Amino acid sequence: MPAGITRKFTPTLFRSIDAAAHLIVALVLPSIALALPDDATLSRLLVGTWHGHRHDTEYRADGIWIMDPPDEGDNSRGKWRIEHGRLIETWRFSDESSDSTSVDEIIELTEKIFKSRIISQEGPGRPEGQVLPSEIFTVTRVTTKK
């Protein structure tokens, strides 16, 4: 700038800078804060029994899940795996010839808390009128006292 000329920072300019900074923080911070571990780590964290409001579900290291008590329709067990931060579960109803599959977005998975929501469900037994993504489900790890 030529000598003797000063730049004025007006309230409008400050508001624009402040708004831009808030936008950057709003876009970047959630992706940093919610970064999930790799699939192998998520799989190790999932192994165990989790308590929900209707069922306990055991995820075994061999890729089998078991629900207790069984849900309607005899889908009390199946297979699970984690791919790209998503829990994929399959099961087959006793009177069906093909599998059903659900895909859950893992929102948070720690030693104590598992938060997820269903983003896809296909196959026999898909609930009529199901809206996806679902609500967020939170379950807690069942621990045994030694």
Side-chain angles (χ1 to χ4, degrees), residues 43-77:
S43 295
R44 281 191 300 278
L45 283 169
L46 187 62
V47 170
T49 303
W50 297 88
H51 177 71
H53 71 280
R54 291 175 32 206
H55 308 279
D56 284 354
T57 303
E58 178 187 2
Y59 292 92
R60 295 181 176 178
D62 64 0
I64 300 293
W65 63 262
I66 300 172
M67 185 174 12
D68 184 36
D71 204 358
E72 295 176 24
D74 193 29
N75 64 330
S76 62
R77 61 179 43 239

Side-chain angles (χ1 to χ4, degrees), residues 100-135:
S100 294
T101 301
S102 69
V103 178
D104 291 18
E105 173 188 15
I106 298 172
I107 296 167
E108 179 182 357
L109 179 53
T110 68
E111 291 289 336
K112 297 180 180 183
I113 299 288
F114 176 32
K115 292 183 181 183
S116 65
R117 65 179 174 178
I118 303 168
I119 58 173
S120 171
Q121 186 170 342
E122 300 297 329
R126 185 178 193 270
E128 189 174 320
Q130 182 182 40
V131 177
L132 297 175
S134 71
E135 64 190 275

Side-chain angles (χ1 to χ4, degrees), residues 13 17 28 69 112:
L13 180 60
I17 292 170
V28 173
K112 297 180 180 183

Side-chain angles (χ1 to χ4, degrees), residues 10-26:
T10 65
T12 304
L13 180 60
F14 278 120
R15 281 194 299 273
S16 296
I17 292 170
D18 187 52
H22 279 90
L23 178 63
I24 291 169
V25 169

